[in-house]
Amino acid sequence: MIAFFRSGILGFGGGPSAIPLVHQEVVKKYKWMDEEEFSDTLALANTMPGPIATKMAGYIGYRVGGILGGIIALLATVAPTALMMIFLLQLLQAFKDIPWVQHMSASVVPVVAVMLAVMTWDFIKKSGSSLGWKKAIAFLAGSLFIMEFLNIHPGILIVLMILIAFIPERKREEGTS
């Protein structure tokens, strides 16, 4: 509960900003998952509709503590965020014209960008070591092109990458039989 409460309360800016916080708690602090399992969970959560932080909390909570763990993780993720959102939005609305409040709000954006960049770099290094750097860079460039220039949904891209990853494996298995 504390892991997801902390992620929920500090994940200012929505689900994507909470992902590095969830990663810190789940992989680094409590070691409930390794990097690869977290990456797979994140990829799967991205393919489904709805807020990513709650999907991840529900799955990870269920994996660690069963149905009760899933419920507790979901509540710990959603409740503080909802309460803080109500409180902070009323507070920001009341003081929105004060310059230091405007600067405070704007200064959160670069912090979230850095957190996401650090996590992205960790995933790139992991891909480079597991796939090989040429293949990882090709997948990275191809993914960027497909999502940004062809406007293909990330969920479709993830399914495509999974299929590409399994096709050579299946051919190798058939060749050795």
Side-chain angles (χ1 to χ4, degrees):
M1 180 179 146
I2 291 171
F4 288 103
F5 177 82
R6 213 178 346 238
S7 300
I9 201 90
L10 297 174
F12 187 82
S17 65
I19 293 170
L21 300 171
V22 172
H23 178 266
Q24 177 67 29
E25 297 289 331
V26 170
V27 176
K28 294 184 178 177
K29 184 169 185 167
Y30 293 106
K31 299 184 183 351
W32 291 329
M33 294 182 156
D34 61 22
E35 293 283 344
E36 186 175 344
E37 292 170 313
F38 186 82
S39 298
D40 292 344
T41 301
L42 178 61
L44 185 59
N46 270 318
T47 65
M48 297 184 287
I52 191 157
T54 54
K55 292 181 285 189
M56 292 185 72
Y59 173 73
I60 295 167
Y62 175 77
R63 186 164 174 247
V64 172
I67 293 173
L68 183 60
I71 292 169
I72 290 170
L74 281 170
L75 288 175
T77 300
V78 174
T81 304
L83 295 174
M84 286 296 288
M85 184 178 71
I86 292 167
F87 174 72
L88 287 175
L89 287 176
Q90 286 180 340
L91 194 63
L92 284 173
Q93 187 64 28
F95 299 106
K96 69 180 177 182
D97 296 327
I98 300 173
W100 71 268
V101 173
Q102 292 172 344
H103 294 301
M104 179 188 70
S105 297
S107 65
V108 171
V109 174
V111 173
V112 172
V114 168
M115 290 169 51
L116 289 171
V118 167
M119 188 179 70
T120 301
W121 179 243
D122 287 343
F123 285 154
I124 290 171
K125 289 190 302 189
K126 174 77 173 154
S127 296
S129 65
S130 64
L131 294 173
W133 281 104
K134 287 182 183 179
K135 195 173 187 179
I137 290 171
F139 279 152
L140 184 66
S143 299
L144 178 66
F145 179 78
I146 289 168
M147 287 191 307
E148 291 300 316
F149 297 108
L150 300 179
N151 294 319
I152 303 292
H153 189 276
I156 295 169
L157 180 61
I158 291 168
V159 170
L160 179 66
M161 292 297 181
I162 290 170
L163 291 174
I164 289 171
F166 282 119
I167 289 171
E169 187 66 34
R170 185 178 283 168
K171 286 182 180 177
R172 279 196 301 255
E173 287 175 4
E174 289 174 3
T176 59
S177 299

